[in-house]
Amino acid sequence: MKMIYYFFMLSIVFVVGGCGNWLDVQPTTEKDREDLIETEDGFKQMLYGTYINLVHPDLYGHQLTYGLLEGLARNYVWHPTSSYNYEDKTVRPTIDAIWNTMYNNVANVNSILKDIKSRKDLFINNEGDVLEAEALAMRAFMHFDLLRMFAPAYQDNEDRIAIPYVETYERVRYPHLPAKEIMEKVLKDLNEAEKILEASDDPILKEIICTYSGKNDFMANRQYRFNYWAVNALKARVYLYMGDTENANHYAMKVIEEAPFTWVSETDVTSGDQIFMPELICGLNVPKLANYYETYFTSEKYSLSDGWGVYGLGVFEDANDFRYLYLLSNDRANNKVISSKYNQRVSSSGVMKKETVPLIRLGEMYLIAAECNIEDNPGESVRLLRELKSHRGYLSEDKGIVGDASANQLLDYIKKEMRKETYAEGQMFFFWKRLKSSTTPGFNPWSSAATTPMKVEYYTFPLPEAELEYGNIPSNGELDL
């Protein structure tokens, strides 16, 4: 019988040092890999390569940020498929490519982890430890998103068979595991990464956020890597998805209260900071972002609404909101409103404010903490929401959040803010999925109150046909080992 293995030879383009310094290194055989792991620089090139793989258009360079996921969340005029028919020929190849490209990069990460522990003597200071921690965090990050896409919503489905968690670099048909076991492995990797980064004195712990080019400086640009605070923020996101509000609140508040991130100012935004850099916990450099922006956002495809801004203002609520005022472009001549978040080529000053796609930002931590406090401490939810909106240009004393808001009102506030805060970043589809929402906002140019009916199955992508045929999926509760 033909078998599909989670084992891939490295075939990647590595970046050395800063975001603009490229070196083609294409190890296509196991011997090439063995040469790389003989040197400190070789290991670093391998890690840089895994970050470059993350910005492939199939992943966070497009589909998993402002592409497919955002269309499925009904944030554009464009919708990827009618009635969420994932077998449609226009969308099925995209879903299969996400699975294959992500697991390919998991293999590349595991290629690093296979030997890094035994080769720490190659590194100066603690850089080998930091490299290991980032690889562990990236492995957890990728598996978590694979679970969110290819398995049902976690709560009430913890024991359902989900996806493989690939932990070694070898020819193995990894078994599909219950969602609960996947999450345990995600948290295991994140806990180990957090421990290592804290002990390794990650520069971002010293409130140093580097925004220079970083040439020949492995520890530069920590906001563009899985740094200590990114790991903590990801744990907050993971725990909330699991329904563990106590731990989700703990890690969200840890980032809010202890991390060096500060609120973006209106001056920063008007000076060209489309990404809100002071708030960026973790992001990726996407070298072709300007081209992607021209391709997708300047067309009707990724537009938010009509050119008169009726729908856009209905979503963003207040014309003073920075996210409406400065991150939307109103093109009345062509009757559309588009996000200008990724139009960073012209207006942005400073290399690290260009070509950036956020993965996790400070605003999400406020919304996670606000949601976690709805039942037991609603006053804290109100405080967190008002603080967030006070740094988004809202001028009224209560920032549009009533002090005696009910639990349902608070959740409605959070839904609105999450949509505004993470627009074109790929998070809203997962947000609706986690809540098992029976409706999502539906596109109607003249009514922001329109909704789209949702079924549970709409929130889960189908496994690739090859995986269904050859993967190690339990049959009658038993694994084919």
Side-chain angles (χ1 to χ4, degrees):
M1 178 183 289
K2 181 181 176 182
M3 294 184 179
I4 303 296
Y5 296 102
Y6 293 106
F7 177 85
F8 305 86
M9 291 298 173
L10 298 174
S11 182
I12 47 186
V13 181
F14 297 109
V15 61
V16 177
C19 295
N21 301 283
W22 298 82
L23 172 66
D24 287 330
V25 181
Q26 297 182 321
T28 56
T29 69
E30 188 64 17
K31 182 181 182 302
D32 292 333
R33 178 189 173 277
E34 292 300 322
D35 289 341
L36 284 171
I37 64 174
E38 289 298 322
T39 67
E40 173 187 8
D41 187 58
F43 268 107
K44 289 178 179 178
Q45 290 180 33
M46 292 170 75
L47 181 69
Y48 294 140
T50 62
Y51 281 102
I52 297 304
N53 290 342
L54 284 183
V55 302
H56 190 285
D58 291 337
L59 302 182
Y60 302 93
H62 178 204
Q63 298 295 2
L64 301 187
T65 46
Y66 57 88
L68 176 69
L69 291 181
E70 206 68 1
L72 293 174
R74 302 308 298 262
N75 277 338
Y76 299 140
V77 173
W78 168 76
H79 191 253
T81 174
S82 62
S83 302
Y84 291 85
N85 177 17
Y86 296 129
E87 298 299 336
D88 188 283
K89 63 181 181 180
T90 62
V91 71
R92 183 60 194 255
T94 301
I95 291 173
D96 290 353
I98 289 168
W99 173 278
N100 293 329
T101 308
M102 192 85 93
Y103 273 114
N104 181 75
N105 202 39
V106 168
N108 289 325
V109 169
N110 285 333
S111 177
I112 296 170
L113 292 170
K114 178 181 179 181
D115 293 291
I116 185 63
K117 281 187 179 294
S118 63
R119 311 227 174 184
K120 296 283 183 69
D121 59 330
L122 295 173
F123 291 83
I124 299 173
N125 301 323
N126 55 10
E127 291 184 356
D129 293 325
V130 171
L131 190 150
E132 179 189 10
E134 290 185 35
L136 287 166
M138 189 184 299
R139 183 168 72 183
F141 175 83
M142 289 188 289
H143 280 103
F144 176 54
D145 272 3
L146 283 163
L147 182 78
R148 292 201 290 177
M149 287 182 282
F150 291 94
Y154 183 78
Q155 293 187 66
D156 301 322
N157 293 297
E158 297 93 333
D159 296 323
R160 289 187 60 173
I161 296 300
I163 62 170
Y165 200 97
V166 183
E167 297 177 278
T168 60
Y169 183 70
E170 58 182 332
R171 294 183 182 273
V172 173
R173 290 198 308 152
Y174 274 83
H176 288 234
L177 300 175
K180 183 177 181 179
E181 292 186 33
I182 297 297
M183 294 302 257
E184 288 171 353
K185 291 178 180 292
V186 166
L187 288 170
K188 179 183 176 183
D189 277 349
L190 290 176
N191 288 337
E192 182 66 16
E194 179 187 8
K195 179 181 176 182
I196 294 171
L197 287 168
E198 185 171 26
S200 301
D201 200 22
D202 187 338
I204 211 166
L205 283 166
K206 295 180 179 179
E207 302 190 1
I208 299 173
I209 302 177
C210 304
T211 57
Y212 47 88
S213 67
K215 183 177 181 181
N216 299 322
D217 186 350
F218 180 72
M219 302 298 276
N221 303 323
R222 298 302 295 158
Q223 287 170 285
Y224 288 80
R225 307 266 283 279
F226 284 102
N227 61 73
Y228 176 81
W229 294 115
V231 170
N232 280 268
L234 183 56
K235 287 173 77 171
R237 184 185 282 177
V238 167
Y239 276 120
L240 185 62
Y241 193 71
M242 296 172 67
D244 185 343
T245 55
E246 181 178 354
N247 274 310
N249 184 65
H250 169 76
Y251 284 101
M253 291 306 298
K254 181 179 178 181
V255 174
I256 289 169
E257 295 176 347
E258 300 178 25
F261 308 105
T262 58
W263 293 110
V264 73
S265 69
E266 187 170 11
T267 300
D268 291 333
V269 182
T270 57
S271 297
D273 186 354
Q274 306 290 93
I275 292 301
F276 296 11
M277 275 296 297
E279 304 175 18
L280 184 70
I281 298 173
C282 185
L284 294 171
N285 174 246
V286 182
K288 295 183 179 180
L289 187 59
N291 293 337
Y292 297 153
Y293 185 82
E294 289 295 325
T295 299
Y296 297 108
F297 285 95
T298 58
S299 68
E300 175 100 6
K301 188 173 183 179
Y302 286 5
S303 67
L304 175 66
S305 177
D306 63 287
W308 296 97
V310 175
Y311 185 79
L313 186 56
V315 171
F316 286 85
E317 299 183 288
D318 192 315
N320 292 311
D321 190 322
F322 296 170
R323 298 162 297 189
Y324 174 79
L325 194 58
Y326 303 118
L327 299 187
L328 288 184
S329 176
N330 194 350
D331 183 358
R332 290 189 177 183
N334 293 300
N335 196 37
K336 63 187 177 184
V337 174
I338 59 174
S339 173
S340 56
K341 181 178 291 186
Y342 299 121
N343 185 21
Q344 302 163 16
R345 181 175 54 185
V346 177
S347 60
S348 297
S349 59
V351 172
M352 303 312 289
K353 292 180 183 178
K354 295 180 181 178
E355 302 178 330
T356 298
V357 170
L359 294 182
I360 312 175
R361 293 194 291 107
L362 183 62
E364 184 184 348
M365 296 300 102
Y366 274 78
L367 294 172
I368 288 176
E371 185 175 343
C372 291
N373 281 282
I374 285 176
E375 296 296 335
D376 295 332
N377 192 359
E380 177 68 353
S381 297
V382 170
R383 183 191 72 81
L384 290 162
L385 287 166
R386 285 178 175 173
E387 182 172 353
L388 171 62
K389 295 185 76 172
S390 71
H391 294 284
R392 296 295 180 258
Y394 284 76
L395 302 177
S396 65
E397 184 176 351
D398 67 1
K399 313 305 176 190
I401 308 294
V402 298
D404 59 350
S406 67
N408 286 338
Q409 282 179 301
L410 287 171
L411 185 57
D412 283 342
Y413 289 144
I414 290 165
K415 290 176 181 178
K416 291 178 180 179
E417 289 307 308
M418 187 69 178
R419 193 180 184 198
K420 290 182 276 186
E421 193 69 11
T422 65
Y423 186 78
E425 294 178 18
Q427 291 304 312
M428 281 311 296
F429 182 71
F430 297 136
F431 181 88
W432 301 126
K433 177 174 183 172
R434 176 175 60 80
L435 295 180
K436 300 180 182 177
S437 181
S438 60
T439 61
T440 60
F443 179 79
N444 182 322
W446 306 106
S447 173
S448 60
T451 60
T452 298
M454 292 292 288
K455 297 179 181 179
V456 172
E457 56 266 30
Y458 292 174
Y459 290 114
T460 303
F461 292 172
L463 297 174
E465 290 294 336
E467 185 65 18
L468 290 171
E469 184 173 358
Y470 304 115
N472 190 355
I473 303 173
S475 175
N476 297 322
E478 296 181 1
L479 294 174
D480 177 14
L481 296 175

